[in-house]
Amino acid sequence: MINNVLVANRGEIARRVLRACRDLGIGTVAVHSDPDAGAPHVREADVAGRLPGASPSETYLSSGLLLEVARRAGADAVHPGYGFLSENADFARAVLDAGLTWIGPPPEAIAAMGSKIAAKKLMAAAEVPVLPGLDPARVTEADLPLLVKASAGGGGRGMRVVRALDGLADAVAGARREAESAFGDPTVFCEPLLEGARHVEVQVLADAHGTVWALGERECSIQRRHQKIVEEAPSPAVGPGLRGALCGAAVSAARAIGYLGAGTVEFMLLPDGRFFFLEVNTRLQVEHPVTECVFGVDLVRLQIEVAEGARLPEAAPEPRGHAIEVRLYAEDPARDWRPASGTLHTFEVPGVDAEFAVPAAPSGLRLDSGVESGGEVGVHYDPMLAKVIAWAPTRRAAARRLAAGLRGARIHGLTTNRDLLVRILGEPGFLRGETDTGYLDRIGLGVLAAPLAGEDAVRVSALAAALAAAAASRASAGVLGGLPSGWRNVWSQPQRRSYEGPFGAIEVDYRLGRDGLVSELCPGTSLVRAAPDEVVLDHGGLRVTFAVAFAGDRVHIDSRLGPVALTVVPRFADPSGHLAPGSLLAPMPGTVVRVETEPGAAVAEGQTLLVLEAMKMEHRITAPSAGTVAELNVITGRQVEAGTVLAVIAENPK
């Protein structure tokens, strides 16, 4: 029997494992880096051990430190979660050699699938359909388009699309750097790029007594940077016959490597029904909640019970309904998926029926989150904030429930991909099930990443923000505090406030007098009531409530018209903040991994000047306009903070 589990991970997946352990009555041990000292998973564990440092390499990837914490805490088992060391065969062996139970597949199975190159050969021998692998040194024009892939790891890291031979060398070099940083292994290979294909995977679960379950398939085709952002079960493209073939191939793959515990066999599915093996993820998947909802199982609990030697029932449970999951990231899709870091002032999702568990009712909304209001999102780890999952009798019902939950969420302090996710869930092609790995490119971010709040909604939200700010300033005004701020019996000048919004600068002016609210910005809009945190307006003949929250120079306004974030423009600008024209600032903290220009060089608009590594991914910094590099303030290997002037581009005369 397992009595005390060390969770060798952080964030959302650590909280998920802790929840399962609590339900089983098992003691728990958390680990944390220095930036994670105040994280929710640390508080929720029975005890927690510090991993000194901040970067993954010196903390969550340090097997020696993890095992030392396990020894001090008296843990008798280790659950690796996903990412970090979850697919590291050496770590699994070290856990077993220390006399602990490894809650995962045997090290031999991990090693067999640890190299995608070797895994393809093994699967081909087991008669599982595979795509041919290509040596990057032998690629020809006839092989294009292709995908450069890291042999180790996953999560979209170390992957590049190549459509022209002159881009192959840079793609291979970039993939190798990213793979080395994320997985400690720079080995890459190439394979044909299957355009128009779907990414479909099968959840398997195997015990030590010869039983292997295939718990249906998941559709994971909607991806950015080769990383999934929307997943669902079952796939809208898979019928009973194809499902049987996919599940049969997945079971063959699991048996071929002597698999034990929970794992996922991934395939590429072509429109004609042919499918090809991609890889086996020898761990729990990020998207496991959709399978849990549809099949009514707790995969983490089953992982633990299988590790204890339990026997699975001969037949897997029957599926019920449809589940859709979205990954909520702190990132800006409209700016090349730029990650965001800082304080998450508010994080609230309405209507949640369960956290880290299947909802009790036949349908519901589930939240698996690694963050909470007031927490910090750092630069050292993946920017995923949470997974939101809807389970319903039908696919359309699940999409509608999930979209409503996301639309009503209050997320303040960081830019997120929430608006993109809501738009995907309501997009006609998605609702028809017409998704493949090129979905985002085909529909276009111009459509999908557009703010939920249009220009009219932003204007009236800005008016609500101004009225709330005025109400806050009058809250301590004694006997006059009950009057709306700016109220005049005889007025001469309007009240004014300035904001910067998603569509540019907004000047709010209004008057409050005997005739009520008068605003040129929103003519015909009247005030019902105003408080520092809530304003009610009659707009377009309908009463609308605006929840208003202030955080420094930012103000967040939530209403049925859509979420709006504005920056307050001070009345008097600080001259010390002036930057030279053409200054190019670091959008986030990171490390300069490559510089592709030099002082005096002529550059074109959109040309890559340098590459920053942050949040486990590489990010291109490009020239905002054509011109000449007047200043270059970086070198390879330098750490930079957000807002650092990286370069100054002198624009070409027009």
Side-chain angles (χ1 to χ4, degrees), residues 155-180:
R157 296 173 183 86
M159 296 180 70
R160 300 287 191 279
V161 172
V162 178
R163 300 186 183 278
L165 277 181
D166 59 6
L168 178 63
D170 283 348
V172 169
R176 281 177 173 156
R177 281 193 308 273
E178 210 164 75
E180 172 71 28

Side-chain angles (χ1 to χ4, degrees), residues 292-566:
E292 291 187 324
C293 290
V294 169
F295 283 87
V297 297
D298 182 332
L299 286 172
V300 179
R301 180 177 187 142
L302 289 169
Q303 280 185 298
I304 294 170
E305 291 175 346
V306 165
E308 291 180 317
R311 184 187 296 272
L312 293 172
E314 184 175 338
E318 291 296 317
R320 48 186 185 157
H322 199 101
I324 305 174
E325 169 184 296
V326 293
R327 303 189 193 186
L328 186 65
Y329 281 97
E331 65 183 12
D332 189 345
R335 295 189 177 183
D336 196 27
W337 310 99
R338 180 184 297 173
S341 60
T343 302
L344 186 64
H345 297 290
T346 305
F347 183 75
E348 299 172 358
V349 181
V352 170
D353 299 291
E355 294 189 47
F356 305 103
V358 177
S363 64
L365 194 67
R366 168 175 170 172
L367 176 68
D368 286 19
S369 169
V371 299
E372 56 188 14
S373 296
E376 291 291 322
V377 176
V379 300
H380 299 287
Y381 315 112
D382 187 275
M384 189 174 77
L385 302 177
K387 303 177 313 197
V388 189
I389 307 99
W391 172 44
T394 67
R395 185 172 182 270
R396 280 184 173 260
R400 182 168 57 193
R401 178 71 184 274
L402 184 52
L406 288 169
R407 183 183 287 274
R410 300 183 70 210
I411 308 170
H412 302 164
L414 297 175
T415 300
T416 73
N417 66 338
R418 182 258 302 275
D419 291 11
L420 170 91
L421 298 174
V422 173
R423 290 201 179 278
I424 288 173
L425 292 166
E427 194 273 319
F430 172 83
L431 293 175
R432 292 192 297 267
E434 297 170 356
T435 59
D436 56 42
T437 54
Y439 173 84
L440 292 181
D441 290 334
R442 186 174 68 254
I443 306 301
L445 291 182
V447 173
L448 295 174
L452 292 176
E455 293 191 50
D456 179 67
V458 171
R459 285 193 295 269
V460 70
S461 295
L463 176 59
L467 291 166
S473 70
R474 294 285 292 184
S476 59
V479 294
L480 299 179
L483 291 175
S485 177
W487 189 92
R488 297 289 187 275
N489 188 30
V490 178
W491 48 259
S492 60
Q493 296 297 320
Q495 301 291 306
R496 287 192 176 89
R497 292 185 184 269
S498 300
Y499 300 100
E500 190 67 32
F503 301 104
I506 306 173
E507 293 288 337
V508 180
D509 58 14
Y510 67 92
R511 299 183 179 93
L512 285 171
R514 294 180 182 275
D515 296 328
L517 174 69
V518 177
S519 171
E520 292 183 7
L521 183 69
C522 303
T525 297
S526 60
L527 174 65
V528 179
R529 63 177 179 272
D533 59 351
E534 183 180 275
V535 173
V536 181
L537 298 174
D538 188 301
H539 179 66
L542 298 173
R543 183 169 292 192
V544 183
T545 300
F546 300 84
V548 184
F550 298 89
D553 67 346
R554 297 281 283 176
V555 54
H556 298 270
I557 310 99
D558 295 286
S559 74
R560 67 171 185 81
L561 302 180
V564 174
L566 303 173

Side-chain angles (χ1 to χ4, degrees), residues 146-150 156-163 167-168 170-179 189-191 193 225-226 594 611 617-620:
L146 56 78
L147 193 62
V148 181
K149 299 180 70 173
R157 296 173 183 86
M159 296 180 70
R160 300 287 191 279
V161 172
V162 178
R163 300 186 183 278
L168 178 63
D170 283 348
V172 169
R176 281 177 173 156
R177 281 193 308 273
E178 210 164 75
F189 68 100
C190 300
E191 66 182 16
L193 177 66
R225 289 185 166 182
H226 311 290
R594 192 167 75 254
V611 178
M617 298 288 283
E618 290 190 354
H619 308 274
R620 298 183 307 115

